[in-house]
Amino acid sequence: MSAGTPDFLSRAAEILGQENVVAADSAHAYRDPYPLHPEAASSAGVRPGSVEEVQQIVRLANGTATSLWTVSRGKNLGYGGAAPRTADQVVLDLSRMNSIQEVDGELGYAVIEPGVTFFDLFECIQERRLSLFVSVPALGWGSVLGNALDRGYGMSPYGDHVQQLCGLEVVLPNGELLRTGMWAMEDSPLGHVFKGGFGPNIDQLFTQSGLGVVVRAGIWLMPWPEAFASGEITVENQDDLPQLIDSIAELRRREVFQNNCLVGNVVRAGTMNGPRSRWYTGEGSIPDHVVEEMREAMGIGNWNARFALYGDPGMIRERIRIIEERFNRSGFTVRVRLYEGSDGGPVTYADIDEKDQTTMAGVPSLKALSTVSWYAEDGGHIDIAPLMPARGEEVYDFYQEVKDLYAEYGFDLYIGYHVYARHLVHVTMIFFENGNPEQLARARELYDKVRQAARRRGYSPYRGHINNMDDIAAEFSFNDHAVLRFQETLKDILDPAGVISPGKQGVWPKRLRTSR
Amino acid sequence: MSAGTPDFLSRAAEILGQENVVAADSAHAYRDPYPLHPEAASSAGVRPGSVEEVQQIVRLANGTATSLWTVSRGKNLGYGGAAPRTADQVVLDLSRMNSIQEVDGELGYAVIEPGVTFFDLFECIQERRLSLFVSVPALGWGSVLGNALDRGYGMSPYGDHVQQLCGLEVVLPNGELLRTGMWAMEDSPLGHVFKGGFGPNIDQLFTQSGLGVVVRAGIWLMPWPEAFASGEITVENQDDLPQLIDSIAELRRREVFQNNCLVGNVVRAGTMNGPRSRWYTGEGSIPDHVVEEMREAMGIGNWNARFALYGDPGMIRERIRIIEERFNRSGFTVRVRLYEGSDGGPVTYADIDEKDQTTMAGVPSLKALSTVSWYAEDGGHIDIAPLMPARGEEVYDFYQEVKDLYAEYGFDLYIGYHVYARHLVHVTMIFFENGNPEQLARARELYDKVRQAARRRGYSPYRGHINNMDDIAAEFSFNDHAVLRFQETLKDILDPAGVISPGKQGVWPKRLRTSR
């Protein structure tokens, strides 16, 4: 805890009420749910309920030289959760600001506060019977806005969430309020329909950022589709991965696939049907012959791709035809189930089998949480998610290197490739038992090895665990780290006291910066 | 000419050679091709040929307190062309930097310099027989990169050009070189396949911007489609505009339409078949009964929408079915011509009728240039292009107000609506005879009146003529112009000497800023 913090917290309590100030030693203090270091500390926090309260808190932080760490819902599991970069930072917890301020069912957008979860937005739209579809990520309890700002993604055609932001309201580090894009024009109907404004576009400065606190934003929503299809592609041979990736990416570039296909390996499917002890109780990576048994037991391929299709049923049928032609030619099995409205109108959730009411169908869920209990009931995980070009041979080559590393460190290799038009996100997790020092030490080492292997190939993660942000930022080294120096220049001028999320993505304010 | 300029120009000649320095009084000096004020002056310029030369010139500008004004090809007709904000600024003309450094035919991107035109990129791709499609705007001689950076747009599914940028190389105002996104990671294959990087995303800061000089960029290209269709929708009754706009925007949101449909009025069609004297020689706006005669002579509707479809022929046929159903229901006429490959392979330009080899088919052209000769052989125009929400009733209401204003000021009303999913660009032009003082005075007044009418409704233009940038910027007035003050803060820290494009989009450096 830094020197000014007690003063800050007592004065924050005057602004917010004592019930909205959380002490670092309280049961509700903020901590990494899956700490990689067993000794990880917990942090104090404040919970403003309005834009004005955020402004007051930010001004108070300036006056008391207090570091704040902004979280919306703090559900970045595998990246540190609600824990700040350093335990002495006070969490600026925006979860009480959870109002859905506007939903436009015609043009397709919502204006939301940071505390709004995917569940909240989904339920709001169902209740109001709006013809809109919510793009959701693996877990629905996170913040819609926080996910987009941290460049998280969902499983739908609108899954690149940061690209759906349109019009931000931001509390700047000096406490002033800013609106971006057309929203800066007073009484304009364009605030959430056009991403632009006039002059240098500043919106994206507030993504993965400590340059301000986003307190409201517009986010685009897809029209509810007339029909929906859920599909899977099964690949028997492990070494057919290159063809699978190349074909998926090409059909995504051709806009036959509409969402990011998700390609998983056998262990990934196993974690959905865990715990591990159901399949194997030995040490080390699960051996290939056991993987083969798991595969047979689950009736799946060595690679299993899931996708969904959305829109007019006639167009969906054409998409299915193209997909089947392409993958059958490679000897892969394609299964698709098309759902249409039962009464001649658009499809509804009542028409869709429960097993297909997945995140790809826009249904927020907590099902994926169970995977963390792979090794132990009290399990955790860390995510490693390097970006790669969507080129099949490159992906397969890296896969083999990563597989060897997991074997060397004795963990089971979970793979989920999220395949986009030009890149993919190579999501792998390391599962562990919380607080198991031997396992955590190995997990940390493996994490570093995979990161090094990725770095050698020029693959950087799309986001970072709080413990690793400085290392990742350092990889962007062109011209003596010109980009980080540029970000620091902005930090110094916009946040001279260095109060907003110091160290976020490796960008530290001057007072906390150490020489590189 | 400011005090330091002669020294700057002579020292620039030492760096670039005398042949790459243009005096303000030379025949090649930089000027607005369609000046709204007959007395408009011309400006000096420098033409660097490499990134290193740009860096040297920028450093020299710092040393001599010289204002530079960056242009790529300077073809922003109707917005000032290559002319700077004030005539004493020296044009930093990047047109010699015209190399296409890389084209990836598989993942679909190019890496280009600012001098590359749409013609250049198109020809490069045809020559190399790459399966890629170039998104082109109305005129093909402009810079691909300049168009994207100024948030211009094209007529294809990739027509929102600024969204296709991926990885920028920028000379900062201090002469330093910066790479953005994954391109900042040395030897990474991700530079032009993922828009992200790590930490606050700074790419869009360099759009409509004087915060740096973009010297190279990656830009995404669409895969060449298997088939192509060219379509039009004809609407007889003027007051059916709301239905037309609403249906187009909805089908765009539903991704049935893939590009921005272009809806034009009769005068617009007339300008393609001008000059005006062919149709009418009287004063004032062309009267309604003459418009009706023009309409009959050209065999068109009161509103005429053009669109195109791209991709698998089976999917195109489904799109056509949906489009026909929707518009026939409103009593509108839909005509579509589908082109497939003659030999079973993908369509080629050889398969497409010449009349359909339009900008929507990715063919760069200068045909639209002829429209400026509407009133006189030596004609010019100014563009007014407010953004509006894509809501039919609102559009029709504004149309009627604008029509009355054009009648009041005696000009013919040209309308082209570029309809996107949630917004449209209301492109109207005022044509005039270059240097005709009476007509120019009326044009300036009409321009102001239309701008005021737009502003009252909260519609701001998507870009601005050099003469009007300050006025437009002033409209973004939320919280005492917080956004402009923020942009100025960035300007002051990144460009303390104020040398890069002072006044660009209303953002002036401190030394040239007057109090608002």
Side-chain angles (χ1 to χ4, degrees):
Chain A
M1 192 179 292
S2 66
T5 307
D7 185 35
F8 171 83
L9 291 178
S10 64
R11 289 169 65 185
E14 290 166 23
I15 298 168
L16 306 176
Q18 191 61 55
E19 68 279 17
N20 292 310
V21 174
V22 180
D25 57 3
S26 97
H28 300 105
Y30 298 83
R31 52 175 66 85
D32 186 345
Y34 307 138
L36 283 171
H37 295 270
E39 68 280 15
S42 59
S43 299
V46 292
R47 313 194 310 134
S50 67
V51 173
E52 294 69 25
E53 287 186 356
V54 173
Q55 292 180 282
Q56 286 176 278
I57 289 295
V58 167
R59 289 190 177 119
L60 178 60
N62 273 276
T64 56
T66 305
S67 296
L68 302 174
W69 179 262
T70 309
V71 305
S72 299
R73 307 267 342 165
K75 297 299 190 187
N76 278 349
L77 305 188
Y79 292 104
R85 279 298 312 263
T86 54
D88 65 325
Q89 297 178 352
V90 176
V91 173
L92 178 62
D93 174 349
L94 304 175
S95 60
R96 285 177 62 215
M97 296 173 64
N98 62 354
S99 117
I100 297 169
Q101 308 210 305
E102 183 186 351
V103 185
D104 188 305
E106 187 199 345
L107 294 189
Y109 64 82
V111 182
I112 55 174
E113 291 186 326
V116 174
T117 69
F118 291 95
F119 284 115
D120 295 336
L121 187 56
F122 178 83
E123 279 157 23
C124 165
I125 283 168
Q126 304 312 308
E127 273 168 24
R128 298 195 203 172
R129 297 172 181 276
L130 297 172
S131 283
L132 294 172
F133 181 102
V134 181
S135 179
V136 302
L139 294 174
W141 61 7
S143 159
V144 177
L145 187 44
N147 176 284
L149 290 171
D150 223 35
R151 303 197 208 124
Y153 52 83
M155 316 299 273
S156 81
Y158 280 38
D160 193 357
H161 293 159
V162 71
Q163 301 297 336
Q164 313 309 331
L165 292 173
C166 185
L168 307 180
E169 187 173 80
V170 185
V171 174
L172 293 175
N174 64 3
E176 255 208 292
L177 203 59
L178 171 83
R179 286 187 186 159
T180 70
M182 309 309 287
W183 206 7
M185 208 179 171
E186 284 173 283
D187 301 318
S188 170
L190 287 163
H192 311 296
V193 303
F194 181 76
K195 297 194 274 191
F198 198 66
N201 190 327
I202 60 176
D203 296 55
Q204 298 281 320
L205 278 186
F206 301 104
T207 64
Q208 291 194 350
S209 170
L211 300 177
V213 179
V214 180
V215 288
R216 282 201 291 170
I219 190 157
W220 288 347
L221 301 170
M222 187 172 84
W224 182 257
E226 298 91 328
F228 171 78
S230 176
E232 54 188 42
I233 305 164
T234 309
V235 177
E236 298 296 324
N237 299 321
Q238 222 170 106
D239 55 9
D240 281 345
L241 183 66
Q243 275 181 69
L244 178 67
I245 298 289
D246 286 334
S247 296
I248 291 174
E250 194 202 329
L251 293 188
R252 184 76 184 85
R253 285 193 296 279
R254 295 197 172 277
E255 295 182 11
V256 174
F257 283 126
Q258 297 164 281
N259 70 337
N260 40 323
C261 291
L262 173 49
V263 178
N265 67 351
V266 175
V267 168
R268 188 179 181 283
T271 63
M272 312 283 185
N273 297 280
R276 182 178 192 258
S277 55
R278 180 178 159 190
W279 304 106
Y280 187 66
T281 52
E283 298 281 307
S285 278
I286 297 183
D288 283 351
H289 75 271
V290 178
V291 169
E292 188 55 32
E293 288 166 20
M294 292 168 68
R295 187 166 105 76
E296 278 170 24
M298 290 185 280
I300 61 174
N302 258 303
W303 298 109
N304 306 279
R306 285 204 302 117
F307 63 90
L309 301 168
Y310 311 81
D312 173 86
M315 282 185 64
I316 289 184
R317 284 193 191 91
E318 290 298 309
R319 292 179 197 277
I320 294 171
R321 171 185 59 76
I322 297 166
I323 292 164
E324 286 180 339
E325 274 174 20
R326 169 65 62 103
F327 292 99
N328 289 343
R329 208 191 307 154
S330 301
F332 306 159
T333 308
V334 178
R335 285 186 211 85
V336 192
R337 174 76 191 271
L338 171 62
Y339 297 99
E340 298 185 65
S342 49
D343 57 355
V347 68
T348 68
Y349 283 120
D351 301 313
I352 301 175
D353 284 356
E354 202 188 324
K355 78 168 180 54
D356 284 327
Q357 294 198 21
T358 61
T359 50
M360 288 190 182
V363 180
S365 154
L366 293 178
K367 277 180 210 159
L369 260 187
S370 67
T371 60
V372 301
S373 303
W374 182 239
Y375 284 107
E377 184 62 34
D378 180 20
H381 68 91
I382 182 170
D383 286 36
I384 317 178
L387 298 154
M388 304 181 57
R391 300 191 206 266
E393 287 294 348
E394 260 191 75
V395 176
Y396 191 54
D397 200 57
F398 186 58
Y399 162 73
Q400 289 169 306
E401 184 172 358
V402 170
K403 193 178 173 203
D404 289 346
L405 286 170
Y406 270 70
E408 189 182 335
Y409 286 88
F411 284 98
D412 302 323
L413 174 57
Y414 169 110
I415 292 243
Y417 298 119
H418 294 252
V419 186
Y420 289 83
R422 291 173 179 80
H423 76 279
L424 60 77
V425 190
H426 178 299
V427 176
T428 135
M429 303 208 191
I430 309 173
F431 294 109
F432 48 74
E433 181 179 13
N434 276 324
N436 178 327
E438 182 278 327
Q439 229 179 19
L440 286 172
R442 268 194 293 131
R444 291 194 299 267
E445 271 188 78
L446 173 57
Y447 179 90
D448 288 343
K449 291 285 180 183
V450 176
R451 288 266 301 110
Q452 284 162 25
R455 182 165 50 230
R456 271 196 303 277
R457 293 164 185 258
Y459 309 152
S460 185
Y462 80 105
R463 68 205 295 189
H465 189 283
I466 49 167
N467 293 356
N468 301 292
M469 287 177 174
D470 295 332
D471 287 344
I472 298 170
E475 293 175 9
F476 292 77
S477 59
F478 176 77
N479 189 18
D480 187 23
H481 306 270
V483 74
L484 182 58
R485 288 186 291 117
F486 188 94
Q487 290 165 333
E488 287 171 347
T489 301
L490 301 185
K491 182 73 179 168
D492 290 343
I493 190 73
L494 296 172
D495 185 11
V499 299
I500 304 293
S501 299
K504 174 75 179 160
Q505 248 72 12
V507 181
W508 291 94
K510 198 165 218 162
R511 68 178 169 93
L512 298 170
R513 210 142 68 216
T514 49
S515 62
R516 257 183 301 278
Chain B
M1 191 178 290
S2 66
T5 307
D7 183 35
F8 170 83
L9 291 178
S10 64
R11 289 170 64 186
E14 289 166 22
I15 298 168
L16 306 177
Q18 191 61 56
E19 68 280 16
N20 291 311
V21 174
V22 180
D25 58 1
S26 98
H28 300 105
Y30 298 83
R31 52 176 66 86
D32 186 345
Y34 308 138
L36 284 171
H37 295 269
E39 67 280 12
S42 59
S43 299
V46 292
R47 312 195 310 135
S50 67
V51 173
E52 294 69 26
E53 287 185 357
V54 173
Q55 292 180 280
Q56 287 176 277
I57 290 296
V58 167
R59 289 188 175 120
L60 178 61
N62 274 276
T64 56
T66 305
S67 296
L68 301 175
W69 178 261
T70 310
V71 306
S72 299
R73 307 273 333 170
K75 296 300 189 186
N76 278 348
L77 305 188
Y79 292 104
R85 280 296 313 261
T86 54
D88 64 324
Q89 297 178 353
V90 176
V91 173
L92 178 62
D93 174 348
L94 304 174
S95 61
R96 284 178 62 216
M97 296 173 64
N98 62 355
S99 117
I100 297 169
Q101 307 208 306
E102 184 187 350
V103 185
D104 188 306
E106 187 198 346
L107 293 190
Y109 64 82
V111 182
I112 55 174
E113 291 187 325
V116 174
T117 69
F118 292 95
F119 284 116
D120 295 337
L121 187 55
F122 178 83
E123 279 157 23
C124 165
I125 283 168
Q126 304 311 308
E127 272 167 24
R128 298 196 204 170
R129 298 173 180 277
L130 297 171
S131 284
L132 294 171
F133 181 102
V134 181
S135 178
V136 302
L139 293 173
W141 61 6
S143 159
V144 177
L145 187 44
N147 176 283
L149 290 171
D150 222 35
R151 304 196 209 125
Y153 52 83
M155 316 298 272
S156 81
Y158 281 38
D160 194 358
H161 294 159
V162 72
Q163 301 296 336
Q164 313 309 330
L165 292 173
C166 186
L168 307 180
E169 187 173 80
V170 185
V171 174
L172 293 175
N174 63 4
E176 255 208 291
L177 204 58
L178 172 83
R179 285 187 186 159
T180 70
M182 309 309 288
W183 206 8
M185 206 179 174
E186 284 173 283
D187 302 318
S188 171
L190 287 163
H192 310 297
V193 304
F194 180 76
K195 298 195 275 191
F198 198 66
N201 189 327
I202 59 176
D203 296 56
Q204 297 282 321
L205 277 187
F206 301 103
T207 64
Q208 292 195 349
S209 171
L211 300 177
V213 179
V214 180
V215 287
R216 283 202 291 172
I219 189 157
W220 288 348
L221 301 170
M222 186 172 85
W224 182 257
E226 298 92 328
F228 171 77
S230 175
E232 53 187 42
I233 304 163
T234 309
V235 178
E236 297 297 322
N237 300 320
Q238 223 171 104
D239 54 9
D240 281 344
L241 183 67
Q243 276 181 66
L244 178 67
I245 298 290
D246 286 333
S247 296
I248 291 174
E250 194 202 329
L251 293 188
R252 185 76 186 82
R253 285 193 297 277
R254 294 196 172 277
E255 295 182 13
V256 174
F257 283 125
Q258 298 165 280
N259 71 336
N260 41 322
C261 290
L262 173 50
V263 177
N265 67 351
V266 175
V267 168
R268 187 179 182 282
T271 64
M272 312 282 185
N273 297 279
R276 182 179 193 259
S277 55
R278 181 179 158 189
W279 304 106
Y280 186 66
T281 53
E283 299 282 304
S285 277
I286 297 182
D288 283 351
H289 74 272
V290 177
V291 169
E292 188 56 30
E293 289 165 21
M294 291 169 67
R295 186 166 104 78
E296 279 171 23
M298 290 186 281
I300 59 174
N302 259 303
W303 298 108
N304 306 278
R306 284 204 300 119
F307 62 90
L309 302 168
Y310 312 80
D312 173 87
M315 282 185 64
I316 291 184
R317 284 192 190 90
E318 291 298 309
R319 293 179 197 275
I320 294 171
R321 171 185 60 75
I322 297 165
I323 292 164
E324 286 181 340
E325 274 174 20
R326 169 65 62 103
F327 292 99
N328 290 343
R329 208 191 308 154
S330 301
F332 306 159
T333 308
V334 178
R335 284 185 212 87
V336 193
R337 174 75 192 271
L338 171 63
Y339 297 99
E340 299 187 63
S342 49
D343 56 356
V347 68
T348 68
Y349 284 120
D351 301 313
I352 301 174
D353 285 354
E354 203 189 321
K355 77 168 181 55
D356 285 325
Q357 294 198 22
T358 60
T359 51
M360 287 189 182
V363 180
S365 154
L366 293 178
K367 278 181 209 159
L369 261 188
S370 67
T371 60
V372 300
S373 303
W374 182 240
Y375 283 107
E377 185 61 34
D378 180 19
H381 67 92
I382 182 169
D383 287 36
I384 317 178
L387 298 154
M388 304 180 57
R391 301 191 206 267
E393 287 294 348
E394 260 192 75
V395 175
Y396 191 53
D397 200 58
F398 186 58
Y399 162 72
Q400 289 170 306
E401 184 172 358
V402 170
K403 193 178 173 202
D404 289 346
L405 285 171
Y406 271 69
E408 188 182 336
Y409 286 87
F411 284 97
D412 302 324
L413 174 57
Y414 169 111
I415 292 242
Y417 298 119
H418 295 252
V419 186
Y420 289 83
R422 292 174 178 81
H423 75 279
L424 60 78
V425 190
H426 178 299
V427 175
T428 138
M429 305 209 191
I430 308 174
F431 295 110
F432 47 74
E433 181 179 12
N434 276 324
N436 179 328
E438 182 278 328
Q439 228 179 20
L440 285 173
R442 269 194 293 130
R444 291 195 299 267
E445 272 189 76
L446 173 56
Y447 179 91
D448 288 343
K449 291 285 179 181
V450 175
R451 289 266 300 108
Q452 284 162 24
R455 182 166 49 231
R456 271 196 305 275
R457 293 164 185 260
Y459 310 152
S460 184
Y462 81 104
R463 68 206 291 190
H465 189 282
I466 49 167
N467 293 354
N468 300 293
M469 287 177 173
D470 296 332
D471 287 344
I472 298 170
E475 294 174 7
F476 292 76
S477 58
F478 175 78
N479 188 19
D480 188 23
H481 305 269
V483 74
L484 182 58
R485 288 186 290 117
F486 187 94
Q487 290 165 332
E488 287 171 347
T489 300
L490 301 185
K491 182 72 180 168
D492 290 344
I493 190 72
L494 296 172
D495 185 10
V499 299
I500 304 294
S501 299
K504 174 73 178 161
Q505 248 71 14
V507 181
W508 291 95
K510 199 166 216 164
R511 68 179 170 92
L512 298 170
R513 210 142 68 216
T514 49
S515 61
R516 259 181 303 275

